[in-house]
Amino acid sequence: NAGVTQTPKFQVLKTGQSMTLQCAQDMNHNSMYWYRQDPGMGLRLIYYSASEGTTDKGEVPNGYNVSRLNKREFSLRLESAAPSQTSVYFCASRAGVGGLSYEQYFGPGTRLTVT
Amino acid sequence: SQQGEEDPQALSIQEGENATMNCSYKTSINNLQWYRQNSGRGLVHLILIRSNEREKHSGRLRVTLDTSKKSSSLLITASRAADTASYFCATVPPGSGNTGKLIFGQGTTLQVKP
């Protein structure tokens, strides 16, 4: 039982390049989330998927797109990377049964640098 | 915008001492959670307190919630070097439905010296 896995762990991009961050969970959770963490800023929600087949914007969605590929997988795409997107990206999941389970489980993160 | 503000931003104590971290938030909430993040790792859920609860315990952790002051505190008793980490509060605002969206504070970095 691996929990939440993310690939890659590290990535360096040049401005304008594109890439997809992958996230998968093996806990049969309904909801999945993408956050970014910048120094002194805590975590900010980029996009989330409350259930398979749905996605919604979070606090800072500009410059990103997401795909909920199936119940297990939720990917984050940067179409044209910018230096402002240099950050650590975390994926998380939540059981989401009946609205009573609020605990989120986090992946180990992807450290992205855009030069 | 960030929902929570945490105080202090950094805290350094000796092993065996107690550590107290505070979180203030802006809007009414359904519940408030505390998470720990070890350096270079993802966040780990510690404890959840609902809006109708005032205090909750889990092992060496004690969380209080004062909804009238829109604030919460996390107390770690008899701290250990392994408690060195960043601690974040997170809130679930009303109206979130079943989305489970969390709004995180900026965190408190705790250093426990052996």
Side-chain angles (χ1 to χ4, degrees):
Chain A
N1 192 339
V4 180
T5 57
Q6 292 183 236
T7 56
K9 285 187 168 53
F10 301 93
Q11 184 71 49
V12 178
L13 291 178
K14 295 188 189 305
T15 298
Q17 288 184 321
S18 62
M19 79 161 295
T20 300
L21 282 65
Q22 307 286 356
C23 173
Q25 52 90 9
D26 61 2
M27 297 173 282
N28 200 34
H29 284 174
N30 290 305
S31 303
M32 297 184 73
Y33 309 85
W34 277 105
Y35 296 91
R36 60 177 289 173
Q37 184 177 33
D38 301 297
M41 295 289 290
L43 274 76
R44 292 182 292 170
L45 183 64
I46 305 171
Y47 270 93
Y48 66 98
S49 171
S51 60
E52 186 180 359
T54 69
T55 60
D56 283 288
K57 295 177 181 179
E59 185 184 358
V60 289
N62 291 344
Y64 305 95
N65 284 302
V66 291
S67 295
R68 183 75 183 265
L69 303 170
N70 47 55
K71 193 171 186 179
R72 289 187 63 249
E73 299 171 287
F74 188 39
S75 63
L76 178 72
R77 183 160 179 84
L78 287 70
E79 291 291 350
S80 179
S84 61
Q85 294 178 304
T86 293
S87 189
V88 182
Y89 291 85
F90 289 98
C91 177
S93 70
R94 178 182 76 101
V97 176
L100 297 179
S101 171
Y102 288 101
E103 175 183 352
Q104 292 190 14
Y105 294 78
F106 283 79
T110 293
R111 189 172 296 273
L112 175 66
T113 301
V114 183
T115 61
Chain B
S1 61
Q2 300 295 122
Q3 163 79 308
E5 292 184 4
E6 299 189 54
D7 170 56
Q9 288 189 336
L11 181 61
S12 181
I13 60 174
Q14 295 295 133
E15 209 165 24
E17 293 180 338
N18 295 341
T20 300
M21 289 158 267
N22 303 296
C23 168
S24 60
Y25 54 90
K26 298 174 185 174
T27 66
S28 59
I29 58 172
N30 283 332
N31 66 66
L32 185 144
Q33 304 176 43
W34 286 90
Y35 286 79
R36 184 187 74 230
Q37 184 181 32
N38 290 92
S39 181
R41 302 288 190 94
L43 278 71
V44 175
H45 182 266
L46 293 176
I47 194 166
L48 179 151
I49 186 165
R50 299 189 186 278
S51 58
N52 61 354
E53 298 175 312
R54 291 296 168 258
E55 187 170 312
K56 201 159 182 181
H57 296 255
S58 176
R60 293 185 296 112
L61 305 180
R62 185 183 79 138
V63 170
T64 61
L65 180 65
D66 187 334
T67 53
S68 67
K69 295 181 180 178
K70 292 187 169 60
S71 68
S72 175
S73 67
L74 171 67
L75 168 67
I76 304 174
T77 60
S79 63
R80 306 166 181 167
D83 294 327
T84 294
S86 293
Y87 292 82
F88 296 88
C89 65
T91 55
V92 180
S96 297
N98 194 29
T99 66
K101 289 194 296 183
L102 292 177
I103 302 178
F104 283 86
Q106 295 175 344
T108 293
T109 299
L110 172 66
Q111 181 186 32
V112 181
K113 299 175 185 176

